[in-house]
Amino acid sequence: MQTIYEKPKTLIDTSTHFCPGCGHGIVLRLIAEIIDAWGIRGKTIGLAPVGCAVLAYNYLDIDMCEAAHGRPPAVATGIKRVHPDNIVFAYQGDGDLAAIGTAEIIHAANRGENITFIFVNNAVYGMTNGQMAPTTLPGQRTATTPAGRDSANYGYPIRICELLAVLDGTSYIERVSLSSPENIRKTKKALEKGFTTQLEKKGFSLIEILSPCPIYWRMDANESMKYIDEDMTRIFPLGVVKDWTQKN
Amino acid sequence: MLTGNAAAAWGVRLANVDYIPAFPVTPQTEIIETLSKWINDGVMDAKFVTMDSEHSMITAAGAASATGARVFTATSSQGLVYGFEMLYTIAGWRVPLVMINVSRGLSSPITLEPDHNDILATRDTGFIQIHCEVCQEVMDSILIAYRLAEDERILLPVLVNMDGFHLSFTREPVELPIIEQVRKFLPAYKPNHAFFKASQPMAQGVAVLGGYAYSYFKYQMHLASKKAIEVYREVSEEFAELFGRTYNTVETYMADDAECLLIMTNSFTTMGKAAIERARARNIKAGLLRLRLVRPFPEADIIRFVKRAKAVAVLDQNISIGKGGIIYSDVASTLYNEKEKPVLLSFISGLGGKNISIEEFEFIFDSLVKAVDKGEISPPQLLYTEAELIEINRLKNIVGKEKHYKFESGD
């Protein structure tokens, strides 16, 4: 009998703390699949954020360090600069990367740090029970915008990919989603490209992943996927924003 | 029945606050969620905006406060220390901002549960600090805090502290005062100083080089903070007359005839009071003193009660790494020049929300009795139960560390 599907060895055999319908488990699994397939488990170092993915080190069987809120780019920089042969990635949510850690990610990008950033955008602060994040859509109801985000008072969703792409230090930036099996396959390809960018020493890469949060979007899993496709992608269009392989 | 967080939100609503910059952090978030809902529902008239971080949030709060608005914000633990530099700045601005800190142990290792290293890290900033035991006290302390902060004799920001989870998420009966009485106690803020408007040129936060001016400003802050003890007494008396609840700078429990006195802060004090009753049942003349005002440090009130005792234990839920308990150090320096003073023992427990067990309280009182009866002075100790040590050893086994701790009474 031939095994055609199995749990990646890098994924620790345990139950998770993620809510039903959450996208984090899918992303962590994709990372684990790549680490297994490429045989890089012994040289990969991951950074866990503050937020829903704070316990990522409980799921990935690699060296991981948990960073203070918004600080993974700085921690990753410290590690990568002294261990350039390790593969270093930071795993961050939108509260971590696009709010409290905005300065950190901009300057890591501007320095062209040879690190892969995995940015999971679910448009809310999930771990603290669904408050407005900078990525929250206009009109979206959250715990701190009960009537929906009014941009006149609360500002507009931050498009991190487009913001960073104007910096000369960035090499590969793509936005993908988890809304369908096809999009999940594209997400895996984008993650592979991000790690390839680092292995080829081409510098800063960031993959933004639009991820469902059914609990704090107050939707079921199907509606969440539809919300990504129909609402989120209007504000956060999918696709490659910058790619070093396509220069010239 | 209100949680500590909801009680805090009620305090803010009753205080008629103008502006609330916010950023979520566990276990504080319920406060800002409650306020944002009230503002959205139109039952509260204030400006509310979520910021990108606690650093920006505290900065915006201080800046708004400097224009003469009544401002509130709330944070916890990592958020408090992330905004740390601004705490010094805002206190130096001499603005009457009121903030809540919901105590939670500092990373790393990361935790969500309470101890007091977060709030005590800010003890030198110039913020006045009120530490609470119960939910009612949280709400009442917000009102008292604005009175202190806005008093012309003080003009310093105030931090009100409560323990995460044990208070923030615990429902207790909370009596809401009628609004007319609140308005009587805390009228609208009409600043004569520390307002910053374009119509009246003044510079704030200017550079002072040479040290003498810098020293002068710091000393003025120190004097204002010391003065706050007297003002606090006036304000709490007025509060007691209007609302029937008394909040002294220190709260005592069976302390009048106590030979063995325990000093604690915040919500675990409730367990300390139960321990006092158990100790009394064992014929130990035990009593408790809870610090409510932690900055300014109410030295005279502490001396008054502590001097009556023969032996005193300070139970710190914090650790100054390389020194020991922070409150112990403060109490010890308070007593140093007293001619007659009791033995002062130091215990640390409850870090990161660790339970303080019945056995641990018993151990503290046994140590105090030994000090009184036999003159045996136990060294400063971090308390653990035997069951907790077994669990630590089990975890060490998992990660392959061989060396185990052996449990010895007094460890």
Side-chain angles (χ1 to χ4, degrees):
Chain A
M1 198 157 53
Q2 195 193 350
T3 306
I4 57 164
Y5 188 80
E6 64 180 339
K7 186 184 74 61
K9 290 185 176 55
T10 302
L11 208 57
I12 295 167
D13 197 5
T14 181
S15 55
T16 82
H17 76 289
F18 297 122
C19 306
C22 172
H24 276 297
I26 299 170
V27 182
L28 289 172
R29 185 192 163 97
L30 295 177
I31 295 168
E33 284 178 0
I34 294 167
I35 291 171
D36 275 14
W38 294 12
I40 53 171
R41 197 162 152 201
K43 60 187 292 194
T44 304
I45 298 172
L47 281 312
V50 164
C52 292
V54 63
L55 301 178
Y57 47 78
N58 282 348
Y59 311 132
L60 293 177
D61 195 9
I62 54 170
D63 277 0
M64 290 201 79
C65 178
E66 202 276 326
H69 208 9
R71 304 312 126 194
V75 182
T77 299
I79 291 169
K80 183 70 179 180
R81 287 280 173 142
V82 292
H83 295 288
D85 294 333
N86 282 118
I87 299 161
V88 179
F89 73 90
Y91 187 105
Q92 298 181 263
D94 45 311
D96 200 70
L97 185 141
I100 199 166
T102 316
E104 301 266 359
I105 194 68
I106 286 177
H107 287 283
N110 197 46
R111 293 191 302 268
E113 295 295 342
N114 190 31
I115 296 164
T116 307
F117 290 89
I118 299 162
F119 169 39
V120 180
N121 177 2
N122 62 10
V124 283
Y125 292 103
M127 194 170 98
T128 47
N129 296 356
Q131 296 78 24
M132 194 203 88
T135 46
T136 295
L137 305 192
Q140 187 181 335
R141 288 170 191 270
T142 70
T144 43
T145 55
R149 182 180 191 173
D150 169 15
S151 291
N153 190 39
Y154 292 99
Y156 300 85
I158 289 187
R159 295 184 187 91
I160 286 291
C161 290
E162 290 78 357
L163 191 72
L164 297 179
V166 298
L167 299 173
D168 293 340
T170 55
S171 296
Y172 168 64
I173 295 175
E174 182 168 359
R175 187 182 287 118
V176 291
S177 100
L178 301 176
S179 65
S180 67
E182 187 195 350
N183 276 331
I184 290 169
R185 279 194 291 275
K186 282 184 185 166
T187 299
K188 187 173 177 182
K189 282 214 169 66
L191 290 170
E192 286 170 342
K193 185 87 177 259
F195 285 119
T196 302
T197 303
Q198 186 175 164
L199 285 167
E200 297 280 328
K201 299 191 178 1
K202 294 298 179 188
F204 184 96
S205 58
L206 179 139
I207 301 98
E208 176 175 343
I209 304 170
L210 305 184
S211 177
C213 181
I215 301 292
Y216 294 116
W217 292 356
R218 301 167 177 87
M219 294 176 188
D220 67 25
N222 283 332
E223 287 167 347
S224 297
M225 297 310 184
K226 222 172 128 187
Y227 187 72
I228 292 176
D229 285 340
E230 292 177 5
D231 295 87
M232 271 188 103
T233 52
R234 271 198 298 199
I235 302 287
F236 302 111
L238 302 183
V240 174
V241 184
K242 194 168 185 178
D243 185 353
W244 57 277
T245 62
Q246 289 171 15
K247 267 182 194 165
N248 302 322
Chain B
M1 297 288 278
L2 294 177
T3 61
N5 279 342
W10 266 106
V12 178
R13 179 169 164 178
L14 292 167
N16 237 356
V17 165
D18 299 308
Y19 173 55
I20 303 151
F23 188 82
V25 53
T26 304
Q28 165 280 123
T29 312
E30 185 190 1
I31 301 174
I32 59 159
E33 280 182 6
T34 308
L35 293 168
S36 73
K37 186 179 182 303
W38 284 337
I39 293 165
N40 180 68
D41 293 347
V43 294
M44 190 177 158
D45 181 22
K47 292 187 169 66
F48 177 94
V49 70
T50 53
M51 302 291 285
D52 54 284
S53 71
E54 292 90 351
H55 194 288
S56 312
M57 174 190 88
I58 293 169
T59 306
S65 190
T67 67
R70 187 173 280 166
V71 184
F72 171 81
T73 192
T75 190
S76 174
S77 182
Q78 299 299 125
L80 185 71
V81 294
Y82 188 48
F84 192 64
E85 72 164 331
M86 288 315 295
L87 300 179
Y88 279 89
T89 303
I90 288 166
W93 286 350
R94 306 293 301 269
V95 297
L97 170 66
V98 172
M99 251 175 92
I100 280 226
N101 180 65
V102 184
S103 265
R104 161 183 156 188
L106 289 167
S107 181
S108 63
I110 198 164
T111 184
L112 296 175
E113 295 166 86
D115 67 35
H116 306 138
N117 267 102
D118 59 353
I119 185 69
L120 291 176
T122 69
R123 71 191 184 276
D124 306 332
T125 56
F127 273 67
I128 287 167
Q129 290 194 8
I130 298 172
H131 292 216
C132 301
E133 183 190 349
V134 295
C135 295
Q136 178 77 57
E137 190 182 357
V138 173
M139 191 197 73
D140 293 346
S141 294
I142 301 260
L143 303 177
I144 291 171
Y146 279 108
R147 275 291 300 272
L148 291 176
E150 292 169 3
D151 192 290
E152 287 285 309
R153 295 165 289 176
I154 302 178
L155 284 172
L156 284 170
V158 181
L159 265 160
V160 175
N161 197 66
M162 73 168 122
D163 281 329
F165 291 80
H166 293 259
L167 216 54
S168 69
F169 300 145
T170 300
R171 278 173 210 282
E172 291 177 349
V174 176
E175 194 182 313
L176 296 176
I178 48 173
I179 194 73
E180 290 75 20
Q181 272 184 311
V182 175
R183 288 289 84 81
K184 205 169 157 194
F185 178 73
L186 182 68
Y189 178 41
K190 291 200 175 62
N192 293 316
H193 170 70
F195 59 91
F196 197 61
K197 299 177 183 176
S199 57
Q200 192 181 333
M202 66 191 247
Q204 181 159 287
V206 296
V208 285
L209 298 177
Y212 61 93
Y214 184 88
S215 304
Y216 170 80
F217 282 117
K218 288 290 170 188
Y219 187 55
Q220 288 301 313
M221 287 169 72
H222 181 64
L223 291 179
S225 185
K226 298 289 268 185
K227 185 83 181 166
I229 293 176
E230 180 190 322
V231 179
Y232 178 89
R233 288 199 189 106
E234 284 172 31
V235 169
S236 62
E237 247 173 60
E238 202 183 313
F239 188 92
E241 273 169 33
L242 276 165
F243 304 105
R245 291 183 291 276
T246 304
Y247 296 108
N248 294 322
T249 60
V250 299
E251 186 209 6
T252 55
Y253 187 71
M254 298 188 177
D256 288 342
D257 65 337
E259 290 178 356
C260 298
L261 188 73
L262 177 62
I263 297 182
M264 293 179 73
T265 63
N266 291 282
S267 70
F268 282 48
T269 310
T270 307
M271 294 198 272
K273 288 174 182 170
I276 298 298
E277 289 179 15
R278 288 193 301 272
R280 289 259 169 183
R282 292 199 289 145
N283 292 324
I284 299 169
K285 278 195 168 177
L288 185 141
L289 181 145
R290 174 172 72 91
L291 295 176
R292 196 174 127 70
L293 202 57
V294 172
R295 280 295 179 275
F297 203 63
E299 292 182 322
D301 291 332
I302 291 169
I303 289 169
R304 187 153 56 91
F305 285 102
V306 163
K307 278 181 83 170
R308 295 178 193 170
K310 290 181 178 165
V312 177
V314 180
L315 178 47
D316 273 286
Q317 282 168 264
N318 62 76
I319 181 163
S320 173
I321 307 289
K323 177 67 176 88
I326 293 169
I327 302 288
Y328 176 80
S329 294
D330 278 2
V331 173
S333 68
T334 299
L335 293 175
Y336 188 78
N337 281 334
E338 293 299 311
K339 283 206 178 82
E340 285 171 33
K341 49 184 175 274
V343 169
L344 192 62
L345 306 182
S346 171
F347 299 92
I348 293 175
S349 190
L351 297 183
K354 192 190 95 67
N355 182 43
I356 306 179
S357 66
I358 289 175
E359 301 98 282
E360 284 167 65
F361 281 112
E362 264 176 24
F363 180 77
I364 291 170
F365 284 109
D366 289 345
S367 303
L368 288 171
V369 169
K370 254 189 235 170
V372 174
D373 291 350
K374 300 179 189 164
E376 284 177 28
I377 311 298
S378 59
Q381 290 168 86
L382 184 99
L383 301 175
Y384 262 93
T385 63
E386 189 166 9
E388 285 165 343
L389 273 179
I390 289 168
E391 181 61 13
I392 287 285
N393 286 334
R394 190 185 70 81
L395 294 173
K396 283 162 70 90
N397 262 344
I398 292 171
V399 294
K401 300 283 180 194
E402 296 301 320
K403 189 170 173 263
H404 283 187
Y405 291 114
K406 257 170 64 189
F407 185 82
E408 288 167 24
S409 184
D411 268 9

